[in-house]
Amino acid sequence: MQPTVPVALAPSAPAHVAIIMDGNGRWAKARGLPRAAGHQRGAEVVRDIVIACRDLGISYLTLYAFSSENWKRPVTEVDDLMGLLCLYLEKEVAELNRNGVRVRVIGDRSRLAGNVRALIADAEARTSGNRALTMILAVNYGGRSEIVHAARAIAEAVRAGRLAPAEITEDIFASYLDTVDVPDPDLLIRTSGERRMSNFLSWQSVYTELVFLDTLWPDFSRENLLAALDEYYHRERRYGASSFSG
Ligand code: FPP
């Protein structure tokens, strides 16, 4: 009979990882390339990291693809970013389907061009049956704006008599956010050395573990993802409770 060997239990993967993909511009500048080249390389990294997250057993991956503040960039850069998003949604759906990845988009779609909205709706519909990983793209997303939209919808529900003010709990409020039915992120990674939240998942990230990496997004690799997860596994999550029992 074989001796029983103690097996180290691998920590279970976080259910939800969110990423602020920062540093595309600096990556391009360091190489004497146009900013668009940084964004293009960044989109290629997205393909790899989505599959890596799926392989690791992560259930939700939220990526900050375009913030509500990004409209302040030169129109050519906005066009480049929207073009890359469209290309990604057009070209990657088959591969995402092969890998069981569902696409969901959060953010205010009303300002997006009709063709972008149509591609988003198409990608969401074509991947809706996939269960291995849900990739959530934040497009024209801002945390404060999301909260204001929820407050407006709740006010309408109260005015219409569908909801009483006393019934508004945190769970009810969260059900009016774009992230309805998505667990709050366990881990948020921001690349490029910046240490800000930049209006990302403002409601959802109150107990999220934050990991800031110096790596620029176009250089981000599976090894960087594993390093961030390793840091996460060493954190003690207390959700406001004390670390002593009894
Ligand atoms: C921040 O880098 C990055 C963005 C504003 C956009 C992120 C977009 C992508 C990674 C590519 C498209 C995404 C998908 C999902 C296909 P920055 O331009 O602010 O960099 P900088 O701070 O160095 O200037």
Side-chain angles (χ1 to χ4, degrees):
M1 201 178 137
Q2 292 288 319
T4 311
V5 181
V7 177
L9 284 176
S12 60
H16 184 174
V17 173
I19 307 183
I20 302 180
M21 310 178 288
D22 200 4
N24 296 349
R26 277 164 283 169
W27 183 91
K29 191 173 176 199
R31 286 161 180 76
L33 297 169
R35 291 178 63 82
H39 294 315
Q40 202 171 337
R41 175 72 197 129
E44 287 162 20
V45 172
V46 166
R47 290 164 82 193
D48 195 35
I49 294 305
V50 168
I51 302 306
C53 285
R54 194 216 53 169
D55 292 348
L56 286 163
I58 291 162
S59 301
Y60 297 89
L61 170 69
T62 301
L63 299 171
Y64 211 177
F66 192 92
S67 80
S68 46
E69 287 72 35
N70 285 154
W71 297 107
K72 293 178 199 153
R73 296 189 176 205
V75 73
T76 48
E77 186 171 352
V78 169
D79 288 348
D80 287 339
L81 284 166
M82 288 296 161
L84 273 173
L85 176 68
C86 289
L87 206 63
Y88 183 84
L89 293 172
E90 249 171 336
K91 301 268 180 245
E92 294 299 316
V93 167
E95 179 71 4
L96 294 170
N97 271 333
R98 263 195 297 278
N99 285 286
V101 180
R102 179 179 184 180
V103 178
R104 193 165 150 176
V105 173
I106 58 171
D108 181 1
R109 297 183 197 191
S110 65
R111 194 170 167 183
L112 303 179
N115 66 318
V116 182
R117 287 208 298 264
L119 280 169
I120 288 173
D122 185 58
E124 285 181 328
R126 287 170 62 197
T127 62
S128 64
N130 297 335
R131 290 292 173 266
L133 167 76
T134 298
M135 173 183 59
I136 302 169
L137 293 174
V139 181
N140 190 26
Y141 176 87
R144 285 187 175 179
S145 155
E146 181 191 30
I147 291 169
V148 168
H149 276 98
R152 226 179 261 159
I154 288 170
E156 287 296 345
V158 169
R159 187 168 65 175
R162 284 182 274 116
L163 190 66
E167 288 172 341
I168 303 168
T169 59
E170 290 186 12
D171 284 346
I172 293 289
F173 199 98
S175 73
Y176 282 80
L177 297 170
D178 294 356
T179 49
V180 56
D181 296 331
V182 177
D184 288 344
D186 302 290
L187 167 65
L188 181 139
I189 302 167
R190 182 171 189 151
T191 59
S192 90
E194 307 290 346
R195 292 166 178 245
R196 286 185 297 279
M197 291 300 290
S198 299
N199 205 9
F200 191 39
L201 301 175
S202 310
W203 171 281
Q204 299 86 345
S205 64
V206 288
Y207 285 115
T208 300
E209 294 295 332
L210 310 178
V211 172
F212 299 105
L213 300 176
D214 288 336
T215 309
L216 303 175
W217 177 252
D219 288 327
F220 192 83
S221 63
R222 288 176 184 232
E223 286 67 36
N224 295 121
L225 177 64
L226 291 174
L229 287 173
D230 196 48
E231 188 166 337
Y232 167 81
Y233 291 135
H234 286 89
R235 302 263 180 98
E236 185 192 5
R237 303 186 75 193
R238 296 208 298 268
Y239 301 96
S242 81
S243 56
F244 303 101
S245 56

